Amino acid sequence: MLSLVRMHAFQSGRGPLSPGSRAGLGAALVLLAIISGVELADGRWAHYVALMVAAPFLAAALASWRVVLGVGAAATAIGSAFALAEPRTSLVTAVNVAGIALATGIAAAVAAVRQRQAEQIAELSKLAAVAQQAVLRPLGPQVGTLAVAGRYISSTATAEIGGDLYEAIDTPYGVRMIIGDVRGKGLDAVRLASIVLGSYRHVAYERADLRAVVADLDRAVARNVGDEDFVTAALVEERGGTLTIVNCGHPSPLLLRRGAVIPLEPPAPAPPLGFMPVVRPRVERLEPGDRLLLFTDGLGEARRDGEFFPTADRAWRLLGHGTVGDGLASLETALVEWVHGRLDDDIALVLMEYAGHSGGVTAPVPSWEVGAAEG
């Protein structure tokens, strides 16, 4: 995790110096060397000793308090040497040397406070990562008859936590997947995402109709959010080669088939979970080799210089090769390159591939197709 690596650079131990401490020590020693050189070239009177007060503060920006004390002691010793070398030690020079010692104590206190804060932030980042992993379990590589891969792309290196969610499970009613996006960020968003996923992991096994699953999830969200909070979501079911999608205010999945990219728009728009959505399923027959990309709106909002990432135009070239995991890795690389490493929102991605069902097994027909089948 990038945030932990970054914070580790600021932490000190009793062993070898951390990269941050080495950088702070090096910068401070260079500064002391420059001031000492100028002082020696100036003559026998100490005119620039006061500038050495900057050395411990420079070290305090990166190094541990122990290193700061060492730098301050060195600066005080050098300043004292220049003061004693004067023909007659002046009051100004003595005050300057005392100021270096006082600045060393202040800088060490600043470094200690900064170090404690860095350690607290690192611990919070670690807890956030644990919370995120508890919510988003790894997907695939095989769920039922489908090859499935999931990927979470954080918008910042210092906070890998947000409200994007996904899951794929093999149920008696076929492989069912969900992807969603909670309004907001932080621990509140993770809490609501965990509620939605916990409810989904239960009702997906209990409800034969995806519309009933949506109704259950909507009630779970409504019980746990404020008036302006909501969760966009798309639910997908693959059963016997039949793909069924219900959409609650979420970006439409993309179907990749024989080089074409087909947005699977819902028959009618529906509001997000929390606003009592009434959904109409979209049903498609899958062909062997079809791939389906589910994503959150961070992908659609990724842009550079006002130009959005051309997801639909590049989806087949990025996602149509190798395994589904390879496809998501290619998409992430292209996306990060497009935005120059600066994303405005977290992104959750799920890619599945349908290989076809073996003959001799007849899967149950989804409930909303019964009437059509009988006709």
Side-chain angles (χ1 to χ4, degrees), residues 48-75:
Y48 304 102
V49 168
L51 295 178
M52 294 185 180
V53 75
F57 284 109
L58 179 60
L62 295 171
S64 69
W65 64 269
R66 293 183 180 87
V67 173
V68 173
L69 285 178
V71 169

Side-chain angles (χ1 to χ4, degrees), residues 235-253:
L235 285 75
V236 176
E237 175 187 286
E238 185 280 321
R239 184 170 10 168
T242 296
L243 183 72
T244 305
I245 304 171
V246 293
N247 197 318
C248 305
H250 198 76
S252 300

Side-chain angles (χ1 to χ4, degrees), residues 31 88 119 167 176 224 238 241 251 271 283 299 313 315 326 369 371:
L31 178 62
R88 183 181 67 258
E119 291 170 352
E167 181 61 288
R176 286 180 164 178
N224 291 278
E238 185 280 321
V283 180
L299 179 60
D313 293 339
D326 295 335
E369 287 191 337

